[in-house]
Amino acid sequence: MAMAYKMATTGMSVKEECRSSFLEMKRRRVHRYIVFKIDESSRTIMVDKVGGPGEGYNDLAASLPSDDCRYAVFDFDFVTVDNCQKSKIFFIAWSPTASRIRSKMLYATSKQGLRRVLDGVHFEVQATDSAEMGFDVIQDRAK
């Protein structure tokens, strides 16, 4: 228990690949989404999966595990009522109910460290099941 508390208070370091992948997604639009995970052995947040520009929101949702936590960013393209093409970046904190309590605690306490690195996120969604991060939720938040 003391070890978990110590890790929870010190947080995790963020690998440089997280920042560089996010900047590629934001500036050059070479990724549609990025999934991040915590490596408990090295105490770092790293890139778990990158979605290509042709992949969509359903691919992101399918890549999230049903029994472990993850962070994700998604580049959502949409058309406004004024017929303008827009893009918003969503940060998703995925913490399913089936995940371990220790994992939920690590992800909850390390979230702000990753968010500071990901400059340019427009919206944040916290989800424990697929209904809380459905495509309709993303659409409603963006408009």
Side-chain angles (χ1 to χ4, degrees):
M1 183 65 176
M3 177 71 160
Y5 179 75
K6 181 180 179 201
M7 289 178 71
T9 57
T10 58
M12 300 284 166
S13 63
V14 179
K15 285 197 167 186
E16 180 57 34
E17 69 178 348
C18 298
R19 179 191 322 264
S20 61
S21 294
F22 179 74
L23 289 175
E24 286 178 348
M25 182 181 87
K26 182 178 159 185
R27 293 184 182 150
R28 296 188 340 189
R29 304 186 60 110
V30 295
H31 310 305
R32 176 61 61 184
Y33 65 86
I34 306 168
V35 178
F36 304 97
K37 71 175 184 175
I38 292 178
D39 182 22
E40 290 185 41
S41 62
S42 65
R43 298 177 45 124
T44 58
I45 299 173
M46 59 180 38
V47 173
D48 184 33
K49 182 173 191 244
V50 176
E55 295 188 53
Y57 190 74
N58 291 333
D59 298 313
L60 167 63
S63 69
L64 296 173
S66 61
D67 60 348
D68 200 9
C69 301
R70 292 288 188 272
Y71 304 118
V73 286
F74 178 69
D75 188 7
F76 178 61
D77 294 328
F78 62 100
V79 178
T80 65
V81 292
D82 300 332
N83 206 22
C84 295
Q85 185 72 26
K86 296 273 187 165
S87 176
K88 298 288 181 185
I89 297 177
F90 281 80
F91 179 86
I92 300 168
W94 173 248
S95 182
T97 54
S99 61
R100 300 175 309 147
I101 293 174
R102 175 181 170 83
S103 179
K104 289 179 186 181
M105 183 180 68
L106 286 174
Y107 276 81
T109 57
S110 301
K111 180 175 73 170
Q112 281 308 109
L114 180 61
R115 283 293 311 266
R116 278 192 290 274
V117 171
L118 305 179
D119 184 37
V121 170
H122 298 104
F123 299 103
E124 181 175 328
V125 176
Q126 296 185 16
T128 58
D129 64 17
S130 58
E132 292 179 353
M133 60 169 271
F135 191 70
D136 57 333
V137 173
I138 299 295
Q139 283 180 318
D140 290 343
R141 292 284 300 271
K143 295 181 180 178

